[in-house]
Each structure stands twice: as structure tokens, then as C-alpha cells.
Amino acid sequence: MLSKTYTKYIQSLHHKKFRDADNAFIAEGSKVVMELLQSPVFSCQQVLGLQQWMQENEMLIRTTYRGPLQVIENFELEKITALTTPNQVLAVFKKLKPIPVDPKGKISLVLDTIQDPGNLGTIIRIADWFGVEAIICSDNCTDMYNPKVVQSTMGSLGRVNVVYTNIADWLKKNEHIKIYAAALNGKKISQLKGITEGIVVIGNESKGISDEVMQLCAEKITIPKTGHAESLNAAVATGIILSHMVQ
Amino acid sequence: MLSKTYTKYIQSLHHKKFRDADNAFIAEGSKVVMELLQSPVFSCQQVLGLQQWMQENEMLIRTTYRGPLQVIENFELEKITALTTPNQVLAVFKKLKPIPVDPKGKISLVLDTIQDPGNLGTIIRIADWFGVEAIICSDNCTDMYNPKVVQSTMGSLGRVNVVYTNIADWLKKNEHIKIYAAALNGKKISQLKGITEGIVVIGNESKGISDEVMQLCAEKITIPKTGHAESLNAAVATGIILSHMVQ
């Protein structure tokens, strides 16, 4: 039986204010929870799962996790979930300490005001696919520990270093690295190939890259359009640009 | 004042069964509604908007639409919306008649059991960006008129012909066109360039392409992975593959 106090505690973690105060966040669903439990960087506080899920997964969980496991009922999961359709298991993890990013000799991503949690999570997953180690988010990007972000990363959260900062200041400090801006009127991405060092800036879903940040970029790059859509989804654009840079 | 009957009618259109029965669907938000109103293929039955939105947009709406405009209150919009955060305007449109697809001389997309509405909507928007005219969905793909699909297309719905059918039968009829399967162990996408004719098959979010459909594909193609994520989001993968084919 889940106590009222602990139920309220988990519900509070749906909100950034309380995640910051408690330095904790929730992950949900079998795939994401198992990946984070097996990640060497995350520390888990508590796993809460339906009986059948717990029976099927306890042995595997115990290979990496020694903390509390609690069997809960469906109605209890429904109270604490942040998903529309709760998915068998929810776990509470400690947030990570951000690691300072050195962009030398690698490709890094900078996100300017990405506000949709699904987009941020998908971008983290894309970075993990293409071996991008770090994402530098503007302070007003959506929180990486928002439950919907955690869900969309599909477990990549432990393999990409995500930091929040004033991105204009950060870019100024790293002007010796070439900075590319995803824009509508730049060089065709097919001309980018075998790039091993660079910073790629992706802008807000509707407003693009802010003027202040755009001025710090050395080159605009563009995904050529052969049809009629006004724009591409920010995560899709990120995936396309990275796929051309690293090929 | 919105009548109870009309409120219930719009709420019924949140569900596929009633969209099919009434041959109608809803679109929401200024950007999507305006694009569909200006599209030559869609016929609108009713526009319901908040007073301020209606005042700002009435002149523009009237350049293409002569039907009923109804000013509604915030609380009424909240009753009829399918969005978590309602967005100023909702309109009811007639569904389109699907047009048979001839894949000769162009690139077409086939979707095998795409179930996430956000993914389907984003794929329609990607197709529109890259000038892909037709998407052939398996009968068990999510409905293209699901409000979340309509929302994620960002207005591209009128520019891409989306049809539902038995895709195995459809592929057999079109075996003279080269069929590419997005898979994990195929030819690198960087080797695809300047392709002007072909059918690209994208599989289900977790299970990929079904065996029956995979057997009909001439070539597997793959987005090379340099990091550690297990997979890419289906819409992101579609965008990456198309961007390499058309370059």
C-alpha cells in the first residue's frame, strides 16, 4: 500500500519546482526504467511496479539495483503517473550533476528555446544515436527531467550530457569552434560531410534562432525543400542535419 | 451560444467511428485551421472561434470561405477541444476522398502500422517538405483525421494524398517500382542519392516492418549509428531517409 505522503511526493515531481527542490525526477514504462536502472550514472531511490511486471523483472533489476522495490496496484499507479496511459512501472531517480562541456574535437548541439517536451526528448535520443555527447540548452528550454522528456528519450538520458546555461555567453566562449545555425536560407546540408568538430544551433519551434544567438553563428545551414510545408519539426530537422554531418 | 446538440456532435468527432459515420473531422489552432481553409481540396462546414481571433481573422477567412462563422466563449471551446490546451479556434471539415496512388516516376511512402498520432502527423508534414505526394498507410495505422494527427501536420494535410489499404497487396501490384525497407541492417543511406522513383517502407514504432511486408522489399536501407540509442523515432527516421534520397 502506497502511503499518502509518498503519493503526494511523487505527484510533486511532475513539477519542475519540486524536482529542483528535491533533486529528483520520475521515469515511467518498462523500457525507460530498465535503461536508467542499468545506466552507470543514475542513482535510483525507489521502483514502484505492478505485481506482474515486478515478478517478470525482479531478477534483472537486482543485477544493478539494491534499493527498495514496491509492488503497487493499478489504481495507485494511476494516481502517481504523469502519462495519459500508465505503463506498469514508475521509478524515482536522483538528478545528475551537469558536467561542463568542452566542444573541442566533437560535434555538439545547442538548443535555443526548445519548448515542446516531446521534441527535447526526441533530440536527446537522436544525439545518442549519432554519438553527440553534449547538448547545451538555453535556460528557457523545457526541463530535461519533465516526465514527457524522460519518456521520449527512450533511455538515452544517461548517455548524453545535457546542460542548461546562457547559450549566447557559452557560444562566445567557444568561438574558436565553428558554429552552424539551422536556418531557412543557408548552405545546403548535402555540402556538409565528414564533419568531426562543430556546434550546431537549433532554434525554437515557431520563432527559430534568436537574433542575439544568430549573430554568433559562422554559417547558416539549410535542409533543401522540394515540397510546400512551411517548416520541419525541430527534432526531425536535428536528425536530418546530424545525419548529413557525420556521414 | 453553442447548442448542446452541436457540442455533442463536435465531441463525437474526437472518435474515429463518428468521423467515419459523418465523413467529417475537426482541426484546431490558428495555423492549421487557416491552412485548411485556404486549401483548394478541403470543404469547411463551420468555424468556431474566440471573439478576438474571429475579429483578427474574419477578413482573411472570407477570401476563401463563405460558410458559418460562430463566435464562442472560452468555456465552450474547452468543451469541444481535443487538445490539452485549446487554441482559439476549431473548425469542422469534410473528409477527403482518397485518390488512387500511381507510384511511377516519383517517391512514395508506405507506413506499416504507425500507431502514434504525433508520428503520423509529423510524417505527413515531412512528406510535404520533400515533395512526396502520396502516403500509403496499412489499415491498422492510426487515423489521419485523429485530432492529434491533424494538429501535427501543421496544415500539410491538404497537400499529401494519404490512403489506407492492405499494403502487402498494394506493394505486390507495384513490384515494378523499387521498394526500399527502413531497417537496421541494410545499405547505408549515404549511398542513396538523386533517387527519383521508389517506394520507401517505414515500420511500426517498436516492431518495425512485418515479415510479410519485408519479403516484398527489394532493398534494406539503414541510417548508420555512431552512438548507442537502440532506435530512432519513426518520423525522424523518415525525414533522414528522404533527405538523403532526394539530395
Side-chain angles (χ1 to χ4, degrees):
Chain A
M1 188 70 188
L2 203 55
S3 75
K4 269 197 183 171
T5 316
Y6 203 71
T7 301
K8 279 194 182 166
Y9 168 66
I10 295 181
Q11 288 167 342
S12 78
L13 297 178
H14 295 192
H15 307 284
K16 182 172 190 305
K17 183 177 139 188
F18 296 103
R19 290 194 295 271
D20 287 352
D22 290 313
N23 196 35
F25 71 99
I26 58 171
E28 296 194 64
S30 195
K31 157 97 183 146
V32 176
V33 168
M34 291 307 274
E35 284 245 12
L36 297 196
L37 282 173
Q38 282 155 30
S39 156
V41 299
F42 280 107
S43 155
C44 183
Q45 293 185 330
Q46 171 81 273
V47 178
L48 306 118
L50 302 182
Q51 185 156 30
Q52 196 190 341
W53 186 88
M54 215 56 116
Q55 279 170 355
E56 287 167 8
N57 292 282
E58 188 169 353
M59 292 231 334
L60 185 54
I61 295 173
R62 283 305 185 203
T63 59
T64 55
Y65 172 67
R66 297 273 144 224
L69 294 179
Q70 183 163 358
V71 172
I72 56 173
E73 303 280 341
N74 238 319
F75 80 94
E76 292 172 314
L77 183 56
E78 274 168 22
K79 274 189 199 161
I80 57 175
T81 185
L83 304 178
T84 320
T85 319
N87 182 352
Q88 302 180 84
V89 59
L90 181 153
V92 182
F93 292 89
K94 288 306 243 182
K95 284 169 57 173
L96 296 177
K97 282 199 186 126
I99 306 161
V101 177
D102 177 6
K104 200 170 163 10
K106 59 188 82 155
I107 294 175
S108 308
L109 273 179
V110 167
L111 306 183
D112 185 358
T113 324
I114 289 291
Q115 300 205 299
D116 180 83
N119 279 345
L120 178 57
T122 305
I123 289 173
I124 294 172
R125 185 175 168 195
I126 291 167
D128 187 24
W129 180 274
F130 287 112
V132 170
E133 294 167 23
I135 299 177
I136 301 93
C137 296
S138 62
D139 287 314
N140 58 358
C141 278
T142 189
D143 180 30
M144 65 183 278
Y145 295 110
N146 175 311
K148 282 184 200 156
V149 175
V150 176
Q151 181 68 16
S152 329
T153 62
M154 294 303 284
S156 292
L157 208 58
R159 290 186 295 263
V160 180
N161 178 25
V162 183
V163 300
Y164 286 74
T165 191
N166 180 316
I167 55 171
D169 289 351
W170 189 86
L171 288 170
K172 279 177 206 157
K173 271 183 229 152
N174 290 290
E175 275 179 330
H176 50 291
I177 311 285
K178 184 154 181 185
I179 304 171
Y180 300 88
L184 287 173
N185 51 349
K187 190 178 182 176
K188 286 185 187 176
I189 47 162
S190 54
Q191 294 172 44
L192 305 168
K193 254 170 225 168
I195 290 172
T196 53
E197 183 183 86
I199 297 165
V200 180
V201 185
I202 305 290
N204 172 261
E205 288 89 347
S206 54
K207 294 175 196 155
I209 298 173
S210 64
D211 291 345
E212 185 193 9
V213 171
M214 188 60 96
Q215 282 171 10
L216 301 166
C217 298
E219 186 157 59
K220 289 185 184 176
I221 53 175
T222 296
I223 302 165
K225 168 160 85 171
T226 35
H228 300 281
E230 208 174 89
S231 65
L232 280 167
N233 166 285
V236 172
T238 306
I240 293 174
I241 290 169
L242 288 178
S243 79
H244 285 265
M245 289 185 112
V246 305
Q247 74 172 256
Chain B
M1 188 69 188
L2 203 55
S3 75
K4 268 195 183 173
T5 315
Y6 204 71
T7 302
K8 279 194 181 167
Y9 168 66
I10 295 181
Q11 288 167 341
S12 79
L13 297 179
H14 295 192
H15 306 285
K16 181 171 190 304
K17 183 176 139 190
F18 296 103
R19 290 193 295 269
D20 287 351
D22 290 313
N23 196 34
F25 71 99
I26 58 172
E28 295 194 64
S30 194
K31 157 97 182 145
V32 175
V33 168
M34 291 307 273
E35 284 246 11
L36 297 197
L37 281 174
Q38 281 155 31
S39 156
V41 298
F42 280 107
S43 153
C44 182
Q45 293 184 330
Q46 171 81 270
V47 179
L48 306 119
L50 302 181
Q51 185 156 33
Q52 197 189 338
W53 186 86
M54 213 59 111
Q55 278 168 356
E56 286 167 10
N57 293 281
E58 189 170 352
M59 289 225 343
L60 186 53
I61 294 173
R62 284 304 186 202
T63 59
T64 55
Y65 172 66
R66 296 273 144 224
L69 294 179
Q70 183 163 0
V71 171
I72 55 174
E73 302 281 340
N74 238 320
F75 80 94
E76 293 172 313
L77 182 57
E78 274 167 22
K79 273 188 199 163
I80 58 175
T81 184
L83 304 177
T84 321
T85 320
N87 182 353
Q88 300 178 86
V89 58
L90 182 154
V92 182
F93 292 89
K94 287 308 241 182
K95 286 169 56 174
L96 296 178
K97 282 201 186 128
I99 307 161
V101 177
D102 177 7
K104 200 168 166 9
K106 58 188 85 157
I107 294 176
S108 309
L109 274 179
V110 167
L111 306 182
D112 184 359
T113 324
I114 290 292
Q115 301 204 299
D116 180 85
N119 279 345
L120 178 57
T122 306
I123 290 173
I124 293 171
R125 184 175 168 195
I126 291 167
D128 187 23
W129 179 274
F130 288 112
V132 169
E133 293 167 24
I135 300 179
I136 301 92
C137 296
S138 63
D139 287 314
N140 57 359
C141 278
T142 189
D143 180 29
M144 65 182 279
Y145 295 111
N146 175 311
K148 284 185 197 153
V149 175
V150 176
Q151 182 67 16
S152 327
T153 61
M154 295 304 281
S156 293
L157 208 58
R159 289 186 294 263
V160 180
N161 177 25
V162 183
V163 300
Y164 287 74
T165 189
N166 179 315
I167 56 171
D169 290 349
W170 188 87
L171 288 171
K172 278 177 207 158
K173 270 183 230 151
N174 291 288
E175 274 179 330
H176 51 289
I177 311 285
K178 186 157 180 184
I179 304 171
Y180 300 88
L184 287 173
N185 52 350
K187 189 179 185 178
K188 286 184 189 177
I189 46 162
S190 55
Q191 293 173 44
L192 305 169
K193 254 171 228 169
I195 289 172
T196 52
E197 182 183 88
I199 297 165
V200 180
V201 185
I202 305 289
N204 172 261
E205 287 89 348
S206 55
K207 294 175 195 155
I209 297 173
S210 64
D211 291 345
E212 186 194 9
V213 171
M214 188 61 95
Q215 282 172 9
L216 301 167
C217 299
E219 186 158 57
K220 289 184 184 179
I221 53 175
T222 295
I223 301 165
K225 167 160 84 170
T226 36
H228 300 281
E230 210 174 88
S231 64
L232 280 168
N233 166 286
V236 173
T238 306
I240 294 175
I241 290 169
L242 288 179
S243 78
H244 285 266
M245 287 185 115
V246 304
Q247 75 173 257

